[in-house]
Amino acid sequence: KFDPSKLTHTPLTEIKMNPDAALSMAKVLVMGNNAGEKLTYVESTLARTDRTLDSPIGYNTFFISATDITVPGASGGPVLNDKGEAVGMTCCGITKTNSSYYLPLQRVVRSLKYLRRGLTVPRGTFQIAFAHKTYEEL
């Protein structure tokens, strides 16, 4: 369990989560720790908020895709909008396509609400795979 009193050299700062601010064409700052550096960041632009990945990490998850490759070591780090709010969490980058993928925070915010009340987070049991379709594809 995280114990803030054990921090000795790092000030603790809260980052507000605003998942609804993850919009296409929004400029963001991707924060991370690359190769042991204390802090690295990359400026990026969100491209899509409904992207799927054909991989074990991508089933039944719609990712936010971005136009620039995120630095290695940023996984798990916040994706911040121009107000300093977290709009996503860094997941992975694909260098051959110069693309980055971020997890949307809607489910994270939901899970935190349960955990703060001391409740177990309900999990789905549909045993199905979802597909996102735009209006034009229907």
Side-chain angles (χ1 to χ4, degrees):
K1 185 173 180 178
F2 174 68
D3 183 358
S5 68
K6 303 249 185 215
L7 289 175
T8 55
H9 301 291
T10 305
L12 188 60
T13 303
E14 180 179 355
I15 298 174
K16 181 182 175 197
M17 289 188 281
N18 187 357
D20 296 329
L23 304 170
S24 294
M25 302 307 296
K27 299 286 186 190
V28 294
L29 212 65
V30 181
M31 311 302 288
N33 296 52
N34 184 12
E37 295 289 330
K38 287 185 179 180
L39 177 66
T40 58
Y41 68 91
V42 171
E43 293 180 7
S44 190
T45 303
L46 302 183
R48 292 179 58 178
T49 58
D50 61 352
R51 184 72 162 76
T52 59
L53 292 176
D54 189 18
S55 74
I57 64 166
Y59 297 127
N60 291 337
T61 302
F62 299 109
F63 293 89
I64 302 166
S65 62
T67 56
D68 297 308
I69 188 70
T70 300
V71 294
S75 294
V79 178
L80 305 175
N81 65 10
D82 60 352
K83 295 177 183 172
E85 302 167 322
V87 298
M89 182 172 67
T90 305
C91 177
C92 63
I94 300 174
T95 53
K96 68 181 178 181
T97 61
N98 203 34
S99 301
S100 295
Y101 298 94
Y102 313 126
L103 288 171
L105 295 180
Q106 284 87 348
R107 303 305 283 180
V108 173
V109 169
R110 176 184 174 271
S111 296
L112 282 173
K113 287 179 182 177
Y114 279 96
L115 294 172
R116 286 180 176 148
R117 294 190 311 228
L119 301 172
T120 302
V121 179
R123 310 258 184 232
T125 58
F126 287 122
Q127 302 291 322
I128 60 173
F130 295 103
H132 186 277
K133 300 281 185 185
T134 63
Y135 183 75
E136 290 80 17
E137 293 173 307
L138 296 176

